[in-house]
Each structure stands twice: as structure tokens, then as C-alpha cells.
């Protein structure tokens, strides 16, 4: 029977985009499994291992850049303060705006006294200018951009890893490792399917250790 054209290919793993991103470490028995399966050794014959190494480099670069941009953002916030403002509306209520464009939307709606609005816009613009100037000095936006680019590379390589057939236990372990590190919320997460995947990875390591030559 001919293959159906209605099949759907699901992503290997959906990357969590929330910032700051928390790195999910491969620890304990997972590290032992990877060691037993020779994943960290030179195995150029398995294309999945080679692809895993490329993915891991991009993944680790993303994590490093994420930590750096968070550090720079904290420095910006502590030195300049996040651009935001609470403004008094004509009906007696107040509104908090988080960007100059949002403030201008409020002003265009006629909800703020003209004189109050003009001063608020000037003050917010000055604050934003201080933020932008210090951003340029420390490189926050550039680091954030580099992080996004590295994350995109890691996503692309992750999909390539999913499409690359493994030819050894090391290749199987590589794919399982990538799934855990990208998708597992925490190293001991008890929700399906994470304990099951960890168990399979341990099995791969155990079998790999048994089949290694002395």
C-alpha cells in the first residue's frame, strides 16, 4: 500500500523560549550512560554522534550567552533602571507604561493632560536614551542578539540530529541526551516521559559497558 501523504512530522523537541532559560544538566547516571556508550570518545563512523557534537557546541554557546545577557540586563537595571513610568490620567486613575511607544499611545488617546503628557514623554525619552547609551557601552543588546542566533543554530542542529540515523549505541545515547537536555524541566522530573527516557539512557549505557572490549 502506498504511503499516505497526510502524515505529520512533529518537531524532535520544542525548545523552551522563556528567558532566562535554565540549563538542564545531564548528571549522575546519565553521565555514566554517556561514558559507557563512548559518546565522548572519537567515533567519526556514527553520523549521529558527529551531529550531536555540533548541536552540543551550539547548545552550550546558547547557555553561556544566556547567562551573560542576564548578567548584563541586571547591570543595566541596577545602573539605569528599566524604562517605565506611572502616569496620571484625566479620570483620576493611573497607568503604568513600559515603553515610549506605549506612552505615546496613551497620549494619542487623549487620556492625559497635555502639559502632563509632554513632560512625561520628555522624561521617558531621556530615561530610554540613558538605557540605550549604557546598553551600547556594555553590549547587552548585542549579546541578546547573539544568544538568539545561537539558539536558532541549536534548534536547526537539533532537528538535523533527529533526522540523522544512529549506527551505534553512542548515537542512540546522543539523541536521548539531546532530548533530555532540551526538554526535561529538571534533572529529577517525575512527569512522563522523562523518567522513562532517563531509564532508557541508563539501559543504553549499561549495555554499552557490557559490550565494550577489555
Amino acid at each position: 500500500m502506498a504511503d499516505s501523504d497526510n502524515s505529520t512530522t512533529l518537531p524532535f523537541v520544542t525548545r523552551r523560549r522563556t528567558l532566562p532559560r535554565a540549563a538542564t544538566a545531564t548528571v549522575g547516571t546519565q553521565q555514566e550512560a554517556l561514558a559507557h556508550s563512548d559518546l565522548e570518545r572519537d567515533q567519526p563512523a556514527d553520523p549521529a554522534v558527529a551531529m550531536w557534537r555540533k548541536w552540543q557546541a551550539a547548545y552550550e554557546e546558547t547557555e553561556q550567552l544566556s547567562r551573560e545577557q542576564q548578567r548584563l540586563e541586571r547591570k543595566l537595571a541596577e545602573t539605569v533602571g528599566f524604562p517605565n513610568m506611572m502616569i496620571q490620567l484625566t479620570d483620576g486613575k493611573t497607568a503604568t507604561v513600559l515603553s515610549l511607544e506605549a506612552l505615546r499611545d496613551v497620549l494619542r488617546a487623549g487620556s492625559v493632560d497635555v502639559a502632563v503628557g509632554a513632560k512625561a514623554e520628555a522624561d521617558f525619552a531621556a530615561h530610554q536614551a540613558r538605557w540605550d547609551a549604557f546598553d551600547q557601552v556594555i553590549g547587552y543588546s548585542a549579546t541578546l542578539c547573539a544568544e538568539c542566533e545561537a539558539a536558532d543554530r541549536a534548534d536547526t542542529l537539533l532537528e538535523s540530529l533527529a533526522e540523522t540515523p544512529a549506527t551505534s549505541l553512542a548515537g542512540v545515547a546522543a539523541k536521548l541526551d539531546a532530548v533530555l537536555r532540551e526538554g526535561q524541566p529538571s534533572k529529577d522530573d517525575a512527569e512522563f516521559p522523562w523518567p522513562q527516557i532517563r531509564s532508557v539512557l541508563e539501559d543504553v549505557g549499561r549495555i554499552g559497558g557490557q559490550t565494550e572490549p577489555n
Side-chain angles (χ1 to χ4, degrees):
M1 183 173 66
D3 292 339
S4 171
D5 292 332
N6 296 323
S7 61
T8 301
T9 301
L10 297 178
F12 188 38
V13 170
T14 300
R15 173 177 286 275
R16 287 163 289 134
R17 292 292 187 182
T18 304
L19 293 177
R21 295 175 59 242
T24 303
T26 303
V27 296
T29 54
Q30 291 171 221
Q31 287 181 331
E32 294 171 7
L34 296 178
H36 281 311
S37 65
D38 289 340
L39 184 53
E40 296 292 356
R41 301 180 189 177
D42 186 19
Q43 290 202 10
D46 192 325
V49 173
M51 186 59 67
W52 172 84
R53 286 180 176 144
K54 293 178 182 179
W55 164 80
Q56 179 175 245
Y59 176 88
E60 291 179 347
E61 181 185 10
T62 302
E63 295 300 320
Q64 186 276 324
L65 288 168
S66 177
R67 290 189 294 271
E68 178 64 6
Q69 72 86 8
Q70 290 171 49
R71 184 187 71 81
L72 294 174
E73 185 178 60
R74 285 193 299 271
K75 188 172 184 179
L76 261 173
E78 292 166 359
T79 304
V80 180
F82 287 107
N84 67 84
M85 176 177 289
M86 181 176 291
I87 188 168
Q88 186 76 35
L89 305 179
T90 53
D91 62 3
K93 297 179 181 179
T94 59
T96 299
V97 292
L98 304 178
S99 70
L100 190 56
E101 185 57 37
L103 173 60
R104 287 169 176 163
D105 286 342
V106 173
L107 299 182
R108 282 193 290 267
S111 303
V112 179
D113 177 80
V114 174
V116 172
K119 184 178 185 306
E121 185 172 11
D123 290 346
F124 200 109
H127 192 162
Q128 185 67 57
R130 292 193 300 274
W131 174 279
D132 293 342
F134 195 53
D135 178 356
Q136 288 292 317
V137 171
I138 66 174
Y140 166 71
S141 290
T143 302
L144 181 60
C145 182
E147 181 199 356
C148 291
E149 291 174 353
D152 287 342
R153 287 195 300 274
D155 281 346
T156 299
L157 289 166
L158 187 65
E159 292 303 320
S160 296
L161 175 59
E163 296 166 1
T164 302
T167 60
S168 68
L169 285 175
V172 175
K175 290 187 171 186
L176 292 171
D177 171 69
V179 169
L180 286 171
R181 290 167 70 181
E182 281 285 6
Q184 186 175 221
S186 66
K187 66 183 180 67
D188 297 318
D189 192 277
E191 293 295 322
F192 179 86
W194 308 119
Q196 291 76 16
I197 294 177
R198 291 195 298 269
S199 176
V200 173
L201 184 54
E202 290 168 20
D203 289 342
V204 169
R206 175 176 49 78
I207 295 169
Q210 290 173 353
T211 58
E212 285 180 1
N214 294 326

